[in-house]
Amino acid sequence: METHPLTHAYWQSAAGELRDVRKLTFAALCMALCIALSALPSVPLWGGARITWGFLARSVCAWVCGPVLGLVFACAEDLLSFFLTGGGGYPFFPGYTLTTMLGVFLYALFFYKSKITVRRVFFAKLLTNIENVTLGALWMAILSGKAFQTRVAAKDLNLQIEEATLPNGIRLYLQPLTMEKGTVQASLIFGSGTQTYEDIDAWKPKLAQSVLQQHGVGKLTQTQTADTLGTKGIAVAESYSPDHFSISGTAQKGDVKTLLEALWTQYQQPTVDAADLTRVKESLAQNRHLLYETTAGAASWMPLAWFTGDLERVRPLSPTNLDRYTLPAVREVIAASRTVSPIAIVISGDFDKKAAVDAVAQLFNAEKTGTESGVKRESPLSFPSGRENRVVIADTAPKAFLNEAWRLPNTDGADRKTVMTYRMAASVLSDKLREVIREKLGAAYSPWSFYYQSPRNDGFGFIWASVQTSPDQLALVRKTLGQVMGDLASKGITEDELEKLKKPMITALQTQRKLNVRWEALLRLEVTEKQPWIKWNEEDIPALQAVTADDVTSALRLAFKSQPAIHIITTEDKAE
């Protein structure tokens, strides 16, 4: 029998399979088997390619049924799979059906009426993989190119954001920035974040993040990463936040594809080993003295932890009970972070749009995305109104840190004038603290105050004042702080005093608007917190300009009426 596909007899025989009931039945069985095999996990390869197990059923059908019936089988199987599974996150597009048909056709050319050899199997699979990657990238580029929606971020800076939902459900955000040329930032955002962990287990994602940072990108060591990516100025890091996990990096303008390849590699092949974990444990042991046995180290984290409920998730990774820090615990967190979940890609800075879109299409066309995964288990933040916490540390240098905070009514961030009013109130308090405590009493080093706000935590926020002094002056400083806050609440401030403090704040906001990193951070916040941070940013300066002295005085009075939370770190346990 003639087996060469370039002969008439070959195609006459292949066409005859359409009339063979046994072959039609076999094709139907292969169709069912293919749908079943699609539920098995895929194996990632290079450049976005994957091995999915459906090829086993398709190749066997191509071998037995030939190229003509194989094309009919592939078309029917692809359509049936889509309507039975919902496309796995993909919209219907005939290009993907064509990809499946061409794949089966290639298998048939290699296997039908031929002796099956290792060489034939290798080249058949190689060509179908190349076909899948090439056509998959083409279809995604076509669909995403049509799907981009553009919105204005800042008219005066001519900034725009282009958004698209790719065929597989991945959200892509492009933010060309022209203020600082030559660099690009990219972030792969995925998962539901650390909020899915109960507070007692909050150490697990912290440990996983720390251990991952000890390794290189993917399976590369830190040294190999420095040699391959570092020499190009590419830096990549994986980090965990309450709302999401992310892999972010920076690169030069012309290396956007290499940067995206690095993000994809880290996502697909996160690697940790015993040496990475050992380095983290050693670092924790070495830092124990700094964070827990020096006043300055303790002051870097204890007050904020106290003001937000003293939860495990707001404390640094503990150096105690190191035996619970194991590689299985780390790998469990990493594996859980990469379950099917929302995926977004944010690209900001100076980059070539076509190169970026093509790279995303090539690398991420096989990734699937889903709805929000995981249940929120983190404990809510709580403010310790009317409570005091005193920590005595046997530090050789006599120091004391006084921290006092006043909870303000919740604001979700949308009321920008209220937010800016609270910030101005903190700025007024900070200015008075410098004037009265440092300059007149000479009792402190750089006292400060600011407004802490977390919109994602039900508008949780407070005015926080901090003063560093000596233990013997702590009582005087504490009394003076109360007097300063009381005077401001009772007497208020003048418009002239307010305008003096407004100017540097407005200048700082204007300066931030000219920084690429600012806009990149705002876009990331929008994507992860689902809040209009860019719109809020544009409203901040007008809102600040609209704040009056009466507004600030009212905010200070409102804060002063509340019961403050007090946190003291000192080297001497003396009663004030």
Side-chain angles (χ1 to χ4, degrees):
M1 181 180 291
E2 180 60 61
T3 60
H4 201 288
L6 296 181
T7 64
H8 175 73
Y10 176 92
W11 291 102
Q12 189 176 36
S13 176
E17 307 291 7
L18 291 171
R19 298 185 296 273
D20 189 327
V21 176
R22 290 181 304 169
K23 296 294 178 68
L24 290 171
T25 303
F26 186 81
L29 291 173
C30 287
M31 194 180 304
L33 180 60
C34 191
I35 294 173
L37 288 173
S38 66
L40 296 178
S42 60
V43 178
L45 295 175
W46 65 93
R50 286 175 176 270
I51 293 179
T52 55
W53 303 108
F55 83 93
L56 294 172
R58 294 189 184 105
S59 58
V60 170
C61 184
W63 173 35
V64 174
C65 299
V68 178
L69 180 54
L71 286 173
V72 176
F73 153 80
C75 180
E77 182 268 321
D78 184 82
L79 294 174
L80 184 61
S81 295
F82 177 85
F83 290 111
L84 287 178
T85 65
Y90 291 73
F92 178 75
F93 178 64
Y96 292 118
T97 303
L98 177 61
T99 300
T100 302
M101 294 174 66
L102 289 177
V104 174
F105 186 76
L106 284 173
Y107 284 133
L109 293 181
F110 276 90
F111 300 152
Y112 183 61
K113 294 189 178 299
S114 299
K115 181 180 179 181
I116 304 300
T117 63
V118 173
R119 183 178 179 182
R120 281 182 177 272
V121 171
F122 173 80
F123 282 106
K125 185 57 182 167
L126 176 64
L127 286 177
T128 53
N129 281 348
I130 293 174
E131 175 244 347
N132 286 338
V133 171
T134 303
L135 291 181
L138 175 61
W139 306 145
M140 185 168 286
I142 290 173
L143 290 174
S144 61
K146 294 179 180 179
F148 274 108
Q149 296 180 339
T150 301
R151 62 185 173 99
V152 176
K155 287 185 178 181
D156 60 320
L157 298 175
N158 195 28
L159 295 185
Q160 296 181 335
I161 297 172
E162 297 183 66
E163 305 176 20
T165 299
L166 302 184
N168 57 356
I170 292 177
R171 292 169 295 148
L172 176 60
Y173 300 83
L174 303 179
Q175 186 181 48
L177 301 172
T178 58
M179 292 82 73
E180 301 171 81
K181 295 186 178 295
T183 60
V184 57
Q185 300 83 35
S187 296
L188 173 61
I189 300 167
F190 55 97
S192 299
T194 60
Q195 64 183 348
T196 59
Y197 290 84
E198 295 182 4
D199 195 60
I200 193 174
D201 293 325
W203 61 270
K204 292 181 179 179
K206 291 181 185 179
L207 176 65
Q209 175 178 302
S210 298
V211 176
L212 279 167
Q213 290 172 351
Q214 293 296 318
H215 207 86
V217 173
K219 295 181 179 180
L220 298 178
T221 65
Q222 282 189 332
T223 301
Q224 291 169 333
T225 300
D227 291 340
T228 56
L229 298 177
T231 54
K232 295 183 178 181
I234 298 175
V236 173
E238 182 165 341
S239 60
Y240 294 169
S241 300
D243 302 288
H244 66 284
F245 305 112
S246 66
I247 304 168
S248 302
T250 60
Q252 298 300 307
K253 175 181 179 179
D255 292 323
V256 64
K257 181 179 179 181
T258 305
L259 174 59
L260 290 168
E261 287 174 344
L263 301 188
W264 184 87
T265 300
Q266 178 61 24
Y267 180 74
Q268 290 291 337
Q269 302 172 351
T271 305
V272 292
D273 56 34
D276 301 325
L277 179 61
T278 298
R279 284 192 292 271
V280 170
K281 288 184 176 182
E282 290 174 347
S283 176
L284 289 172
Q286 292 170 359
N287 290 333
R288 178 187 177 89
H289 172 74
L290 174 64
L291 292 178
Y292 292 86
E293 299 173 11
T294 68
T295 54
S300 69
W301 66 272
M302 283 187 181
L304 180 58
W306 169 253
F307 294 148
T308 51
D310 208 23
L311 300 171
E312 180 73 23
R313 66 184 172 102
V314 295
R315 298 166 65 92
L317 193 60
S318 173
T320 60
N321 195 12
L322 294 178
D323 290 341
R324 67 177 177 172
Y325 296 166
T326 64
L327 273 182
V330 171
R331 288 170 175 157
E332 180 184 356
V333 172
I334 295 172
S337 73
R338 285 155 170 81
T339 54
V340 176
S341 60
I343 297 176
I345 300 170
V346 177
I347 305 175
S348 296
D350 188 8
F351 61 93
D352 180 85
K353 176 185 172 181
K354 184 179 185 304
V357 172
D358 288 349
V360 169
Q362 177 186 356
L363 294 165
F364 296 95
N365 73 84
E367 298 300 328
K368 293 184 179 181
T369 186
T371 57
E372 293 289 346
S373 61
V375 178
K376 183 175 180 179
R377 296 187 176 91
E378 66 176 4
S379 302
L381 299 182
S382 60
F383 186 76
S385 297
R387 296 170 58 193
E388 178 178 325
N389 186 28
R390 176 184 289 266
V391 179
V392 179
I393 295 178
D395 197 345
T396 55
K399 293 180 184 177
F401 291 84
L402 170 64
N403 290 273
E404 193 162 345
W406 299 264
R407 178 78 185 264
L408 285 167
N410 290 357
T411 172
D412 63 1
D415 184 354
R416 299 316 290 173
K417 184 180 178 182
T418 298
V419 172
M420 301 314 292
T421 298
Y422 290 168
R423 288 185 186 177
M424 281 306 312
S427 179
V428 168
L429 177 58
S430 186
D431 185 65
K432 288 296 182 181
L433 288 177
R434 284 192 296 267
E435 177 185 341
V436 177
I437 294 182
R438 185 178 67 181
E439 297 178 8
K440 291 185 179 180
L441 297 183
Y445 299 93
S446 300
W448 51 260
S449 174
F450 79 100
Y451 173 58
Y452 176 91
Q453 181 199 19
S454 179
R456 67 172 296 274
N457 288 286
D458 192 28
F460 189 90
F462 51 85
I463 291 179
W464 175 5
S466 178
V467 183
Q468 177 186 341
T469 185
S470 59
D472 59 342
Q473 290 186 306
L474 180 58
L476 176 61
V477 169
R478 179 173 179 176
K479 178 181 178 181
T480 306
L481 173 56
Q483 290 174 343
V484 168
M485 187 63 172
D487 288 345
L488 286 172
S490 62
K491 299 177 182 178
I493 63 169
T494 66
E495 290 292 344
D496 289 341
E497 290 174 320
L498 179 62
E499 290 302 317
K500 176 185 174 183
L501 294 173
K502 269 188 184 181
K503 289 180 180 179
M505 189 177 291
I506 291 174
T507 300
L509 291 173
Q510 290 172 334
T511 301
Q512 290 174 3
R513 295 182 77 253
K514 299 177 182 178
L515 300 176
N516 285 5
V517 66
R518 174 64 174 170
W519 292 100
E520 193 270 343
L522 289 171
L523 181 54
R524 276 175 54 94
L525 282 171
E526 280 208 355
V527 173
T528 57
E529 295 190 2
K530 300 177 178 62
Q531 298 278 14
W533 279 96
I534 292 177
K535 176 177 177 290
W536 291 351
N537 182 73
E538 288 300 276
E539 294 173 353
D540 278 350
I541 292 179
L544 178 56
Q545 291 170 333
V547 173
T548 66
D550 287 342
D551 294 330
V552 174
T553 299
S554 296
L556 289 166
R557 287 173 179 166
L558 190 61
F560 191 65
K561 286 180 182 179
S562 67
Q563 293 293 318
I566 300 171
H567 190 278
I568 295 172
I569 300 173
T570 180
T571 54
E572 298 179 18
D573 190 10
K574 292 182 179 180
E576 274 95 75

